[in-house]
Amino acid sequence: MRRERVVVLALDGVYPFELGIPSRILGAADDRYEVLTCSVDGGPVRTNADFGVTVEHGPEALATADTVVIAPVAPAHLTDEVPGDVLDALALIRPGTRIVSICTGAFVLAAAGLLDGRRATTHWQVADHFRRMFPHVDLDPDVLFVDDHPVLTSAGAASGVDVCLHLVRKDHGSRLANTVARRCVVPPFRDGGQAQYIEQPVPEQGAASTAATRSWALERLGEPLTLADLAGHARMSLRTFARRFHDEVGLSPGRWLIQQRVARARHLLETSDLTVDQIAGRVGFATGASLRQHLSAAIGVTPQAYRRTFQTAR
């Protein structure tokens, strides 16, 4: 099987942790990816820590990439214009190449015009700054990553892990993605969005969590769960439960349920021969048509097309 070449572009001010994520996650995918790191001139790169990094490749590596990853830089390096040498490097990327940004790497893509008219995300702390600088980008600061093929953007720090696992899942199926997650000791899929990590007032002492109710709901996705059912299990009023759920997860209970049902449906499409109607019933969608609607809204494909893609990948 041909290995996909992933080239990570390191810019001055890069965060070392995020710079290493593609190599660590994709490198654990049974030799399916070759990960290279380059700089705009082939020389060493200053990080935002007290050390620099030496890379093995110059910008010419970008011309050979199947996927390009833009690693994030410290906010002090963010501008609304891309330096000339960075633009020259980005110009080497072949048309149609998949491009991924981690955290503030989205600023580089936006400044280069690669996110105009697209949905994207970045770290929640710089979301307002991003909107002011790039009003033509449809920014969603509540999610962990956005896949607007062929451009993907992810939120802060560890969301680089999420988007890289998404690449493995998309390219080779959930089974390998789950294996990679276990090898790297990270969750294969994090529910909710980055809103759950935004600084919030400290809850009152003794305030109940919705975690137990979320676990309870995941075991009953095939049932017609309502907000009243969830709030009743948590022993909270509807208003208190909805507010606390959103504070903890970053999504409304209804949106979270749909997200979990779609995720379970995707797993069954990949790993079983159940019909679309059977899968819909098992994950709590009333009909196959409802599953088709929600899957299309989430990832832009039909169940049949999704199954063909991932069964081929297996």
Side-chain angles (χ1 to χ4, degrees):
M1 181 179 293
R2 175 184 175 274
R3 291 197 297 169
E4 174 154 336
R5 173 167 286 188
V6 178
V7 178
V8 184
L9 178 60
L11 304 172
D12 279 339
V14 68
Y15 285 101
F17 170 68
E18 290 89 328
L19 177 62
I21 287 174
S23 179
R24 184 67 186 92
I25 299 298
L26 301 179
D30 290 343
D31 207 32
R32 303 295 179 89
Y33 300 92
E34 175 190 26
V35 183
L36 309 178
T37 305
C38 75
S39 64
V40 295
D41 58 4
V45 177
R46 297 189 302 274
T47 73
N48 81 315
D50 65 341
F51 58 87
V53 294
T54 301
V55 300
E56 298 294 329
H57 304 279
E60 64 278 356
L62 295 168
T64 70
D66 300 300
T67 297
V68 170
V69 179
I70 310 297
V73 298
H77 293 260
L78 300 178
T79 62
D80 58 357
E81 294 185 4
V82 182
D85 55 353
V86 178
L87 275 179
D88 291 341
L90 295 177
L92 297 174
I93 300 173
R94 294 174 298 177
T97 299
R98 184 164 61 184
I99 303 177
V100 181
S101 70
I102 299 176
C103 192
T104 58
F107 281 77
V108 177
L109 297 184
L114 297 175
L115 294 181
D116 286 355
R118 291 187 178 275
R119 183 168 168 258
T121 193
T122 190
H123 195 293
W124 63 268
Q125 284 186 307
V126 294
D128 289 340
H129 184 43
F130 187 98
R131 283 197 181 98
R132 288 192 297 270
M133 292 175 65
F134 309 112
H136 300 300
V137 180
D138 180 13
L139 186 72
D140 185 350
D142 291 335
V143 297
L144 295 175
F145 63 85
V146 171
D147 184 345
D148 190 352
H149 182 77
V151 181
L152 297 86
T153 52
S154 61
S159 63
V161 174
D162 297 301
V163 76
C164 285
L165 284 173
H166 173 71
L167 296 181
V168 177
R169 188 178 299 111
K170 187 174 184 179
D171 294 343
H172 304 290
S174 289
R175 186 170 300 171
L176 181 57
N178 292 342
T179 297
V180 170
R182 286 193 297 271
R183 289 170 178 168
C184 297
V185 198
V186 296
F189 180 81
R190 286 195 291 168
D191 60 355
Q194 65 169 319
Q196 62 190 300
Y197 303 104
I198 297 174
E199 295 174 357
Q200 302 281 357
V202 177
E204 296 179 8
Q205 187 173 3
S209 169
T210 65
T213 297
R214 296 200 301 273
S215 297
W216 175 82
L218 286 174
E219 296 175 356
R220 295 166 175 79
L221 288 180
E223 301 176 13
L225 298 173
T226 66
L227 178 59
D229 293 330
L230 299 176
H233 180 270
R235 298 186 178 183
M236 300 180 193
S237 70
L238 294 179
R239 176 178 291 185
T240 297
F241 178 81
R243 183 181 68 250
R244 191 157 296 160
F245 192 101
H246 192 279
D247 288 345
E248 293 179 6
V249 179
L251 299 171
S252 69
R255 186 176 173 190
W256 178 84
L257 271 175
I258 290 174
Q259 185 184 75
Q260 301 311 308
R261 284 170 167 153
V262 168
R264 184 74 57 82
R266 290 170 66 175
H267 175 74
L268 291 174
L269 285 168
E270 295 174 21
T271 60
S272 78
D273 294 319
L274 295 172
T275 67
V276 172
D277 285 338
Q278 288 172 327
I279 291 174
R282 290 199 180 192
V283 304
F285 290 125
T287 63
S290 179
L291 170 56
R292 292 183 185 92
Q293 177 184 353
H294 287 296
L295 187 70
S296 178
I299 58 176
V301 298
T302 65
Q304 291 85 351
Y306 186 84
R307 170 169 270 167
R308 282 196 301 270
T309 297
F310 284 100
Q311 287 187 338
T312 300
R314 291 209 310 275

